């Protein structure tokens, strides 16, 4: 029964997270991030302001909560890769698969709601600044996956890999935001990813699994 209650609490917590975040993003998209207060978001979600901050430490996290599940994505890909597959190959295949699926994380997604979210994100300086914190944690998680001891070599490799993934995604989004469709950009996105991972392969030797 204790395990069941714990599972129920976690499910309720996730649902609250989702509901509050969705309510906030809807308000931000309609009126602008800086024009909506935390108190207004709390009122719309029918919770108190202190309760909201227990879920989201900062106003920016109401938006960036969508990135939380992706913080350790690169690390998970590396840790779960089959034997004989290098970290870079695993990450390259994962990114290419994301392009084919039009995963918003790759920037190659022209769904109107996703475009609106990205415009909100990249058009709000405080959100961009907060996003770097998420990327720093992604780097740290990937470095641990590359080498549990996280020596400098692993940290350098992780930093370069996360930077490449960010640049590829931003370039895809930039072109789609300028009016191209995901289908139009797809071929160049695949070519750019191939070039990027080839350069990474030449520029670093990611630590092997111990």
């Amino acid at each position: 029964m204790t395990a069941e209650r714990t599972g129920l609490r976690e499910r309720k917590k996730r649902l609250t997270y989702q509901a509050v975040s969705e309510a906030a993003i809807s308000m931000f998209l309609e009126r602008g991030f800086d024009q909506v207060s935390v108190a207004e978001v709390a009122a719309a979600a029918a919770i108190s302001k202190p309760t909201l901050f227990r879920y989201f430490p900062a106003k920016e996290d109401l938006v960036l909560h969508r990135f939380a599940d992706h913080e350790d994505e690169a690390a998970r890909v590396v840790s779960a890769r089959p034997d004989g597959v290098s970290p870079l190959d695993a990450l390259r295949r994962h990114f290419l698969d994301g392009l084919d699926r039009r995963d918003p994380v790759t920037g190659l997604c022209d769904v109107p709601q996703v475009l609106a979210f990205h415009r909100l994100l990249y058009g709000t300086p405080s959100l961009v600044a907060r996003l770097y914190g998420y990327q720093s944690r992604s780097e740290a998680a990937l470095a641990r996956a590359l080498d549990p001891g996280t020596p400098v070599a692993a940290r350098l490799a992780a930093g370069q890999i996360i930077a490449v993934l960010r640049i590829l995604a931003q370039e895809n989004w930039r072109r789609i935001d300028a009016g191209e469709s995901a289908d139009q950009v797809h071929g160049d996105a695949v070519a750019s990813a191939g070039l990027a991972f080839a350069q990474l392969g030449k520029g670093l030797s990611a630590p092997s699994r111990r």
Side-chain angles (χ1 to χ4, degrees):
M1 291 296 293
T2 300
E4 290 179 4
R5 286 196 294 268
T6 300
L8 179 61
R9 283 197 300 269
E10 287 302 314
R11 286 195 296 273
K12 290 176 66 176
K13 184 177 179 179
R14 286 196 298 270
L15 288 173
T16 301
Y17 250 87
Q18 187 70 22
V20 175
S21 177
E22 292 298 331
I25 291 172
S26 178
M27 296 172 73
F28 296 151
L29 289 173
E30 181 180 355
R31 295 163 50 192
F33 181 80
D34 294 325
Q35 281 65 53
V36 178
S37 69
V38 172
E40 289 177 296
V41 174
I47 60 175
S48 68
K49 189 174 175 180
T51 297
L52 185 148
F53 278 125
R54 283 202 294 271
Y55 284 97
F56 301 94
K59 180 182 177 182
E60 289 78 10
D61 292 326
L62 287 160
V63 177
L64 296 174
H65 166 62
R66 290 188 176 181
F67 286 87
D69 291 340
H70 298 283
E71 249 187 43
D72 63 347
E73 184 170 324
R76 285 187 277 111
V77 169
V78 168
S79 297
R81 74 190 190 278
D83 290 338
V85 176
S86 72
L88 275 182
D89 278 343
L91 290 166
R92 178 182 58 80
R93 294 174 188 178
H94 182 74
F95 189 80
L96 291 175
D97 179 63
L99 292 177
D100 290 341
R101 291 184 287 106
R102 305 297 191 263
D103 189 334
V105 173
T106 68
L108 192 70
C109 183
D110 52 12
V111 174
Q113 296 91 329
V114 173
L115 283 176
F117 176 80
H118 281 159
R119 289 181 183 125
L120 170 68
L121 172 61
Y122 293 119
T124 307
S126 61
L127 290 174
V128 174
R130 187 75 172 180
L131 181 59
Y132 283 120
Y134 281 73
Q135 292 171 340
S136 294
R137 290 190 288 275
S138 293
E139 290 179 13
L142 178 55
R144 290 191 296 271
L146 291 171
D147 190 321
T150 61
V152 172
R155 290 164 55 196
L156 289 170
Q160 292 177 65
I161 291 167
I162 296 300
V164 162
L165 294 175
R166 172 179 56 82
I167 291 168
L168 289 172
Q170 286 182 338
E171 175 61 15
N172 294 336
W173 174 79
R174 181 193 65 78
R175 290 183 57 179
I176 290 175
D177 188 53
E180 296 183 72
S181 70
D183 289 343
Q184 289 173 321
V185 178
H186 180 264
D188 287 343
V190 170
S192 294
L195 172 64
F197 278 95
Q199 288 183 348
L200 279 172
K202 294 177 182 177
L204 60 86
S205 296
S208 60
R209 178 185 289 166
R210 291 183 174 183

